């Protein structure tokens, strides 16, 4: 019989437990349920080991050490914008893989753009993330740890989250669903669903899966083109899920959840910013309860693409507005540290 202790690396990650699972564990130890809330409070505060949980009985701390490990990420590199308050973190994970995350300051508070995968396999031509290939999905605790590390480093509280960093969130469906559910749960970090935005390039089958849960988060669809020919050139996913199927899924999602869809549209000079594109986009979204974010495409050296001129951007916005489409131009944050939309990578430049 092997009596050697189990390696800590093989123990389950306590951060990955749901609130109910943590309460069940505490109950199995014959302890009152408030101990679960205490443990969760320490974890959400950035505790990296059980010895830091000083209001727990020593016997419980020792038992936790035998049963679980405490997952965390380390900040490998930190870049602070000289233009605004944006901070870009390069996190190193326990297996030495890396992901980037961005902390942004708005009037309403601090928002964090999180990664959901190491790399990405979607292959959108204007995005840097996929250039290094896809490695693996992140666990829900690795997503939570990105928030905890940023809060601890910056001394702030993150009040909203956007899943628009590295990776396609809906391809990592189960872990992302677990993450957003725990994020909004009482006793945790407690960021409500209406302060969570989830971006997808258009995985129609997973959109219907998400719809079944009737979550009140904001679904952001990366559109970037008003017709199939152009969208398939920019976004390979369109060959699997063309616009007719994507737009039907969006309509069904709104009907089921009552949550307005947000459409992301990267403005690329001479590619998708023409008057004809503006007219086609307005026709595609006519009579839909939606919002369009126009995003001047951010520099990715390998793509060779440039952002639209200020005049072309204004004309495009005005045409959408004229045809009754709710539209704004997204403010660019962190461009000087390569922290804007589409610029995140597995390694730091």
């Amino acid at each position: 019989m092997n009596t050697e202790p189990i390696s800590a690396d093989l123990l389950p990650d306590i951060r990955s437990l749901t609130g109910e699972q943590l309460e069940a564990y505490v109950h199995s130890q014959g302890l009152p349920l408030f101990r679960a809330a205490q443990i969760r409070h320490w974890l959400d505060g950035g505790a990296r080991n059980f010895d830091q949980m000083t209001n727990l009985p020593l016997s419980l701390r020792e038992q936790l050490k035998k049963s679980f490990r405490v997952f965390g990420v380390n900040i490998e590199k930190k870049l602070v914008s000289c233009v605004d308050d944006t901070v870009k973190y390069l996190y190193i994970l326990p297996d030495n893989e890396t992901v980037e995350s961005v902390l942004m300051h708005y009037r309403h508070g601090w928002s964090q753009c999180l990664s959901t995968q190491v790399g990405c396999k979607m292959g959108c031509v204007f995005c840097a993330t996929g250039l290094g290939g896809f490695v693996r999905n992140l666990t829900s605790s690795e997503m939570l740890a990105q928030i905890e590390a940023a809060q601890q480093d910056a001394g702030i509280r993150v009040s909203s989250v956007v899943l628009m960093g590295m990776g396609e969130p809906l391809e990592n469906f189960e872990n992302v669903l677990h993450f957003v559910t725990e994020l909004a749960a009482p006793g945790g970090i407690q960021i409500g669903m209406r302060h969570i935005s989830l971006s997808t390039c258009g995985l129609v089958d997973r959109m219907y899966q998400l719809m079944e849960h009737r979550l009140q988060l904001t679904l952001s669809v990366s559109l970037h083109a008003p017709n199939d020919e152009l969208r398939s050139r920019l976004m390979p996913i369109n060959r699997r899920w063309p616009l007719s199927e994507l737009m039907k899924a969006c309509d069904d999602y709104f009907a089921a959840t009552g949550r307005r869809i947000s459409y992301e549209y990267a403005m690329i000079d001479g590619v998708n910013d023409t008057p004809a594109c503006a007219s086609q986009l307005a026709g595609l979204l006519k009579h839909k309860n939606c919002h369009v974010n126009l995003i001047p495409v951010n520099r990715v050296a390998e793509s060779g693409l440039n952002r639209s001129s200020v005049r072309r951007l204004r004309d495009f916005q005005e045409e959408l507005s004229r045809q009754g489409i709710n539209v704004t131009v997204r403010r660019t944050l962190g461009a000087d540290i390569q922290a804007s939309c589409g610029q995140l990578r597995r390694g730091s430049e």
Side-chain angles (χ1 to χ4, degrees), residues 147-160:
I147 301 174
E148 292 158 359
Q151 289 188 147
Q152 192 169 28
D153 176 75
I156 53 87
R157 181 185 182 276
V158 172
S159 58
S160 64

Side-chain angles (χ1 to χ4, degrees), residues 20-291:
E20 290 181 353
Q21 289 170 331
L22 187 56
E23 288 183 353
Y25 172 79
V26 167
H27 180 72
S28 73
Q29 302 300 306
L31 297 169
L33 292 184
F34 75 83
R35 294 298 184 193
Q38 289 179 316
I39 295 169
R40 180 65 66 187
H41 175 78
W42 282 107
L43 294 173
D44 293 336
R48 302 298 293 270
N49 60 68
F50 296 113
D51 289 329
Q52 291 178 309
M53 302 181 183
T54 51
N55 60 348
L56 300 182
L58 180 60
S59 58
L60 176 54
R61 280 180 268 162
E62 293 301 317
Q63 184 58 42
L64 288 169
K65 290 178 189 178
K66 295 175 183 177
S67 303
F68 303 102
R69 64 188 175 104
V70 180
F71 178 87
V73 298
N74 291 315
I75 298 172
E76 180 77 359
K77 190 172 184 179
K78 173 184 175 182
L79 296 175
V80 182
S81 172
C82 296
V83 179
D84 47 58
D85 293 324
T86 302
V87 182
K88 182 169 75 169
Y89 293 104
L90 178 68
Y91 294 126
I92 187 165
L93 307 174
D95 59 358
N96 291 320
E97 291 294 344
T98 55
V99 294
E100 290 189 323
S101 177
V102 180
L103 190 63
M104 300 163 288
H105 191 228
Y106 295 95
R107 283 178 297 177
H108 63 263
W110 289 91
S111 181
Q112 190 169 3
C113 180
L114 301 180
S115 292
T116 57
Q117 296 178 312
V118 180
C120 184
K121 62 177 73 167
M122 295 298 106
C124 301
V125 300
F126 45 80
C127 183
T129 300
L131 295 173
F134 172 77
V135 179
R136 67 173 176 85
N137 289 326
L138 295 185
T139 65
S140 59
S141 58
E142 287 173 319
M143 297 174 222
L144 286 168
Q146 292 175 61
I147 301 174
E148 292 158 359
Q151 289 188 147
Q152 192 169 28
D153 176 75
I156 53 87
R157 181 185 182 276
V158 172
S159 58
S160 64
V161 163
V162 290
L163 300 180
M164 297 181 183
M166 295 169 57
E168 163 55 55
L170 290 187
E171 195 185 38
N172 187 12
F173 188 86
E174 294 300 331
N175 286 326
V176 167
L177 182 63
H178 184 182
F179 165 72
V180 298
T181 302
E182 286 304 298
L183 195 61
I189 294 178
Q190 291 185 280
I191 296 177
M193 284 288 175
R194 289 177 180 258
H195 298 283
I196 301 172
S197 294
L198 186 155
S199 177
T200 179
C201 65
L203 273 62
V204 168
D205 54 344
R206 296 298 177 86
M207 289 172 63
Y208 279 106
Q209 277 186 268
L210 184 66
M211 183 178 71
E212 292 174 3
H213 294 273
R214 304 297 197 271
L215 301 178
Q216 290 298 292
L217 52 72
T218 297
L219 182 64
S220 295
V221 175
S222 296
L223 200 56
H224 306 311
N227 60 69
D228 281 323
E229 187 277 328
L230 180 54
R231 193 167 190 267
S232 292
R233 280 168 41 202
L234 297 175
M235 304 176 69
I237 192 64
N238 195 73
R239 299 163 196 162
R240 174 66 183 89
W241 301 111
L243 280 170
S244 59
E245 296 183 51
L246 174 59
M247 300 314 295
K248 182 181 184 306
C250 290
D251 290 343
D252 291 344
Y253 187 91
F254 172 73
T257 65
R259 296 292 289 160
R260 183 179 71 171
I261 301 284
S262 176
Y263 293 98
E264 312 295 315
Y265 196 97
M267 294 287 290
I268 307 171
D269 183 42
V271 176
N272 65 351
D273 62 349
T274 64
C277 283
S279 180
Q280 288 179 32
L281 182 60
L284 187 68
L285 301 179
K286 200 78 170 178
H287 305 306
K288 296 185 186 297
N289 191 331
C290 67
H291 180 83

